[in-house]
Amino acid sequence: MSSPSTSHETLLRVEDLRVEFHTDDGLVTAVRGVDWELRAGETLGVVGESGSGKSVTALALMGLIPQPPGKIVSGRAMYRGQDLLKMPSRALSDIRGNRIAMIFQDPMTALNPFLTVEDQLTEVTRRHMGLSAREATAHAIDMLEKVGIPSASKRVFEYPHQFSGGMRQRVMIAMALSCKPDILIADEPTTALDVTIQAQILELMKELQEQEGTAILMITHDLGVIANIAHRVQVMYAGRVVEKATVDELFANPRHPYTLGLLESAPRVDKLEAELRPIPGQPPDLSKLPGGCSFRPRCPFSIADCSRIDPPLVKSNSDGSYACLVNIDEAPRHDATSQISEELS
Ligand SMILES: Nc1ncnc2c1ncn2[C@@H]1O[C@H](COP(=O)(O)OP(=O)(O)OP(=O)(O)O)[C@@H](O)[C@H]1O
Ligand SMILES: [Mg+2]
């Protein structure tokens, strides 16, 4: 995919973000010092297995980490000269839903069950765009039509429980897109939708991006969605970013063994004949991380130093970096399944 047509101005810069949760099982370090930037007009994809810290990163930016049990231990998130992580909650709520909108993984996080869809969609546009009641209702109906809700002019007056799961997801997408935000954080926005609606929603996001220069942070498990919409990608593993690359580089020339594992374990339209190779084992327990590289127990390229050194991100090219001691193009590949069973025994 080509790079974004709009400017390369950085809209949001996240530095050394660390988030912990105090749980009954101990201290869970969900995000362990991530650094990244989101540029105007681009889509930055975030991929990684369940529990890798994708949602926690997004919730931290929106000021929505439940504290306790959570705590933002360090970090900055600079947006237009202000640190979102230090902003008073009033100021942050003015930005939230207006300049920075989020599509949540669970639609009921964002929708109020006691208010009609019209109440919820018009609240943001009346508050932030200054629309009259009549204009706001017309705008809400228009947005519902855009996300593919049939009979939108009737259904806008219904409550969230009267919508199916996939439709609630679309209502939330309509709400997030309503104010034409600078930044759209989309956390698995299309996972609950069938493929035709999914394609429609991705097109709608691209359209918004082309018209308004919206920057999108797209969190997803689905590498197909990444290939479709992202310009750059970052791969998360156990609370850290282990690789960053342009989408073309990531698919053609992954540098981190975990990225390679994700690509080899997912079916690809461009490589239908390729054998699928699942990544053996499970992501680590974040309250009991092994020393050294956290991917080492599952890694088919690991060497002795990997149990000692947790490698930092190093640059691979102007837009890419990865956190691994090994060059996977040259290193011998071993069977990580037997490595895992040896360690368990
Ligand atoms: N409220 C909470 N209390 C305790 N632990 C939490 C809480 N929220 C998240 N975590 C932990 O933080 C870690 C990262 O969770 P996160 O939701 O960011 O994962 P994710 O990458 O979004 O996964 P998924 O793909 O399943 O959505 C997990 O280990 C999770 O259990
Ligand atoms: Mg998540």
Side-chain angles (χ1 to χ4, degrees):
M1 179 172 281
S2 59
S3 43
S5 51
T6 29
S7 79
H8 288 250
E9 172 210 358
T10 296
L11 265 185
L12 177 64
R13 184 184 298 280
V14 175
E15 292 167 8
D16 192 33
L17 178 64
R18 282 171 198 271
V19 185
E20 293 175 352
F21 290 94
H22 289 268
T23 70
D24 293 344
D25 295 332
L27 187 67
V28 169
T29 313
V31 177
R32 301 189 290 136
V34 301
D35 296 275
W36 49 264
E37 59 177 40
L38 181 64
R39 302 170 191 163
E42 79 164 343
T43 299
L44 175 61
V46 183
V47 289
E49 277 163 303
S50 190
S52 56
K54 306 182 298 296
S55 295
V56 168
T57 303
L59 293 173
L61 301 176
M62 300 295 280
L64 296 174
I65 295 288
Q67 309 197 41
K71 187 165 193 280
I72 297 177
V73 190
S74 73
R76 303 205 305 163
M78 300 307 294
Y79 168 71
R80 298 195 183 279
Q82 290 175 291
D83 184 354
L84 296 176
L85 305 182
K86 305 232 159 42
M87 214 177 253
S89 53
R90 276 245 358 228
L92 190 58
S93 70
D94 270 346
I95 289 182
R96 200 163 50 207
N98 177 22
R99 302 320 329 141
I100 305 181
M102 180 157 171
I103 301 171
F104 293 86
Q105 195 164 3
D106 169 11
M108 288 320 272
T109 315
L111 298 176
N112 183 333
F114 301 109
L115 296 176
T116 66
V117 164
E118 191 227 8
D119 289 334
Q120 302 185 58
L121 279 173
T122 56
E123 196 232 312
V124 262
T125 51
R126 293 197 68 184
R127 174 161 172 219
H128 295 303
M129 290 165 75
L131 299 188
S132 69
R134 187 186 289 258
E135 286 165 343
T137 305
H139 186 259
I141 294 169
D142 183 41
M143 287 310 297
L144 290 183
E145 278 168 357
K146 283 204 165 122
V147 295
I149 304 271
S151 318
S153 55
K154 188 160 74 61
R155 302 220 57 178
V156 74
F157 299 107
E158 295 180 357
Y159 289 86
H161 73 264
Q162 292 169 284
F163 288 74
S164 70
M167 277 183 165
R168 282 199 282 256
Q169 187 79 3
R170 283 183 268 161
V171 169
M172 185 176 48
I173 292 168
M175 196 151 94
L177 301 184
S178 275
C179 281
K180 301 187 173 145
D182 281 350
I183 298 176
L184 176 67
I185 300 177
D187 191 356
E188 302 279 359
T190 56
T191 310
L193 306 177
D194 46 49
V195 279
T196 49
I197 298 290
Q198 176 171 339
Q200 205 174 319
I201 299 289
L202 293 181
E203 283 311 308
L204 189 65
M205 288 187 188
K206 281 191 209 167
E207 215 178 281
L208 177 81
Q209 184 164 64
E210 268 161 35
Q211 287 166 4
E212 312 290 335
T214 312
I216 301 176
L217 184 75
M218 170 63 80
I219 299 172
T220 177
H221 282 99
D222 188 336
L223 290 169
V225 169
I226 291 290
N228 181 312
I229 198 170
H231 301 105
R232 293 188 302 130
V233 190
Q234 56 198 22
V235 180
M236 287 192 75
Y237 188 76
R240 294 191 66 184
V241 174
V242 295
E243 180 157 6
K244 297 182 192 184
T246 62
V247 74
D248 292 342
E249 268 295 304
L250 190 96
F251 280 90
N253 189 22
R255 303 311 315 146
H256 196 283
Y258 179 58
T259 314
L260 181 68
L262 287 178
L263 294 175
E264 287 182 345
S265 59
R268 286 179 54 180
V269 180
D270 58 336
K271 290 194 176 163
L272 281 176
E273 72 295 345
E275 190 192 333
L276 295 185
R277 234 197 260 227
I279 304 174
Q282 302 294 327
D285 178 343
L286 293 174
S287 63
K288 300 181 194 76
L289 279 175
C293 170
S294 50
F295 187 58
R296 184 195 60 84
R298 306 169 74 191
C299 181
F301 297 99
S302 62
I303 54 175
D305 275 348
C306 302
S307 53
R308 215 169 40 79
I309 301 168
D310 194 4
L313 274 177
V314 290
K315 271 194 172 297
S316 48
N317 57 47
S318 64
D319 242 335
S321 48
Y322 66 105
C324 181
L325 300 177
V326 175
N327 178 348
I328 58 174
D329 293 336
E330 289 165 10
R333 186 169 183 145
H334 52 257
D335 178 5
T337 317
S338 55
Q339 180 172 298
I340 293 168
S341 31
E342 266 169 41
E343 290 193 15
L344 287 176
S345 61

